[in-house]
Amino acid sequence: MQIVQIQDRRLGLLHYFFMLVILGYIVGFTVLWQMRYLKTEAPVGSIRTSLMSPQTKGLTPPAAENITYCLQNSASTNGYPTLEHGAMFVTTRITNTSQDLKDGCSLTNNTCKYVPVSPPNDIYIADIEDFTLLIDHAMYTSQLGIQANGQDLSGSLIDSNGDKVTNLPAGDTVGMIGKQDILHMSVVLRAAGIDSLDTPGFNDPKKSKRDDGIVLLVFITYSNTYSYNTNNINYEITVKAVSDTKFKSEQPIYTKSYEKRVIWNRHGVRLLFLTVGSLGKFDFQTLLLTFVSGIGLLAVSTLIVDVIAVRLMPGRQTYKKYKYQETPITDPAEATEVYARLDGSCDSDYHTTVNRA
């Protein structure tokens, strides 16, 4: 192996320039901008929801056909089932059907069936957009040991365009320290890009969303990497509507005895709450691994300057002659160092390895 030292200011400065760019990429972009000195982990969340009916009730029937009557329902019966972890079902329409046991048979008989005794009728819940939704949430990371309650954090509601929602109705709160998140259903729907439940449904365009039901995914995204102070944790609430879907749930209600029952076929807004995001904490091993993997890029600068020296520079034939020099040396243990001084006035040196033919 021979080592050729080419004293050419242009190649030397170019080599140092590429090394500086790569070093800036490692430190400036990878370490500082991408925060690759942090060990990150996705949080696990606990979410409790509650529905409250409007304080001032009004009768605002939806613009739908074949409405028998409109019901001003309470939050306790409109939210079904009453308690679900990370989910809620808000009823917008109920198809009510009364049933009796056929011919008075007993349920001990496997062939006994309930039969309708009256035609089904539709009930639409009035003022469903004015119901308010309480979201009480908390998160935890098992490896990093970071935990927080939503009331202790700053946050915001993001609309379907990715913008922060600022014009909230009176009484609504999101991301205010010391307060729980409370949102009108109309605000939740608009955040998902739904201006009205009376627009065509996602599953059947012939029916309205109020009539057919919809599914909404509510993402609570936690992060502490929006600034260099990882003690500041923030969250964002985004709502996404699932296309080509509808939602319904049947609820049997037994009246005076098991022989008689009422079936409530509920359609409405299905809310699924998901905890997502990424939380980070400084970790020296992660920082060291980032540096080691980035330092390997410095070899690229040498390769680029090698190609420029023997392919593009005016003295490429001379550089190539010394870089790829035939030598009678046959013992691999022997090595000579060849100094090709092409410009004695230069101070910048560029070193390259010679490949022996």
Side-chain angles (χ1 to χ4, degrees), residues 51-54 57 71-79 125 131:
L51 193 67
M52 179 178 290
S53 57
K57 296 184 178 181
L71 175 66
Q72 287 184 327
N73 214 341
S74 65
S76 59
T77 56
N78 191 34
I125 309 301
F131 279 65

Side-chain angles (χ1 to χ4, degrees), residues 147 205 241 293 298:
Q147 62 179 351
S293 59
L298 293 177

Side-chain angles (χ1 to χ4, degrees), residues 132 168-174 176 180-187:
T132 52
L168 294 175
D172 284 18
T173 57
V174 176
M176 297 181 63
Q180 294 176 323
D181 295 336
I182 300 176
L183 294 169
H184 278 77
M185 282 299 301
S186 59
V187 175

Side-chain angles (χ1 to χ4, degrees), residues 56 62 93 103 121 128 179-180 183 201 208 216 230 239 297 300 312:
T56 302
R93 174 177 71 89
D103 300 328
N121 63 303
I128 192 63
K179 294 185 178 181
Q180 294 176 323
L183 294 169
S208 67
L216 300 180
T230 56
V239 187
L297 293 175
V300 176
L312 303 177

Side-chain angles (χ1 to χ4, degrees), residues 129-130 157-163 165-170 172 183-197 214 216 238-241:
E129 291 85 354
D130 292 332
L157 176 66
I158 307 300
D159 63 16
S160 57
N161 297 321
D163 300 323
V165 178
T166 55
N167 55 338
L168 294 175
D172 284 18
L183 294 169
H184 278 77
M185 282 299 301
S186 59
V187 175
V188 176
L189 292 171
R190 285 198 302 269
I194 300 174
D195 295 327
S196 173
L197 287 174
I214 59 175
L216 300 180
T238 55
V239 187
K240 302 295 182 181

Side-chain angles (χ1 to χ4, degrees), residues 40-51:
T40 59
E41 182 182 359
V44 177
S46 174
I47 301 173
R48 179 183 67 88
T49 58
S50 178
L51 193 67

Side-chain angles (χ1 to χ4, degrees), residues 83-321:
L83 181 62
E84 284 188 279
H85 180 266
M88 172 173 280
F89 178 36
V90 182
T91 306
T92 57
R93 174 177 71 89
I94 299 174
T95 299
N96 183 25
T97 305
S98 297
Q99 296 178 341
D100 289 350
L101 282 176
K102 184 178 181 180
D103 300 328
C105 65
S106 174
L107 290 179
T108 57
N109 186 351
N110 293 333
T111 61
C112 191
K113 297 181 180 180
Y114 284 95
V115 294
V117 295
S118 62
N121 63 303
D122 290 335
I123 303 171
Y124 288 84
I125 309 301
D127 301 321
I128 192 63
E129 291 85 354
D130 292 332
F131 279 65
T132 52
L133 176 66
L134 180 144
I135 307 173
D136 185 14
H137 55 97
M139 66 83 192
Y140 178 76
T141 56
S142 58
Q143 295 184 11
L144 301 180
I146 301 174
Q147 62 179 351
N149 189 292
Q151 298 184 56
D152 302 327
L153 305 176
S154 298
S156 57
L157 176 66
I158 307 300
D159 63 16
S160 57
N161 297 321
D163 300 323
K164 182 179 178 180
V165 178
T166 55
N167 55 338
L168 294 175
D172 284 18
T173 57
V174 176
M176 297 181 63
I177 296 178
K179 294 185 178 181
Q180 294 176 323
D181 295 336
I182 300 176
L183 294 169
H184 278 77
M185 282 299 301
S186 59
V187 175
V188 176
L189 292 171
R190 285 198 302 269
I194 300 174
D195 295 327
S196 173
L197 287 174
D198 299 317
T199 55
F202 292 127
N203 182 257
D204 186 358
K206 296 180 180 180
K207 297 181 179 180
S208 67
K209 295 180 177 66
R210 189 188 306 272
D211 190 70
D212 213 20
I214 59 175
V215 177
L216 300 180
L217 301 179
V218 182
F219 297 93
I220 303 179
T221 306
Y222 296 93
S223 175
N224 65 345
T225 59
Y226 62 93
S227 70
Y228 291 106
N229 185 0
T230 56
N231 293 323
N232 293 334
I233 304 175
N234 197 355
Y235 69 89
E236 293 181 347
I237 299 178
T238 55
V239 187
K240 302 295 182 181
V242 183
S243 60
D244 299 327
T245 58
K246 65 178 182 179
F247 194 83
K248 58 173 286 185
S249 178
E250 290 191 355
Q251 177 187 6
I253 301 174
Y254 293 89
T255 55
K256 296 181 179 180
S257 63
Y258 69 88
E259 290 91 354
K260 298 179 181 293
R261 71 177 186 180
V262 176
I263 298 296
W264 277 12
N265 187 0
R266 295 171 175 262
H267 292 252
V269 181
R270 176 66 167 175
L271 297 166
L272 298 175
F273 297 87
L274 303 172
T275 300
V276 295
S278 179
L279 297 171
K281 192 174 184 179
F282 176 79
D283 181 67
F284 179 76
Q285 186 174 0
T286 302
L287 176 62
L288 183 61
L289 182 61
T290 301
F291 265 112
V292 171
S293 59
I295 290 299
L297 293 175
L298 293 177
V300 176
S301 64
T302 302
L303 177 62
I304 294 175
V305 177
D306 272 357
V307 173
I308 293 175
V310 299
R311 300 286 184 181
L312 303 177
M313 293 294 292
R316 56 184 178 274
Q317 296 299 332
T318 304
Y319 299 154
K320 188 175 183 180
K321 175 182 177 182

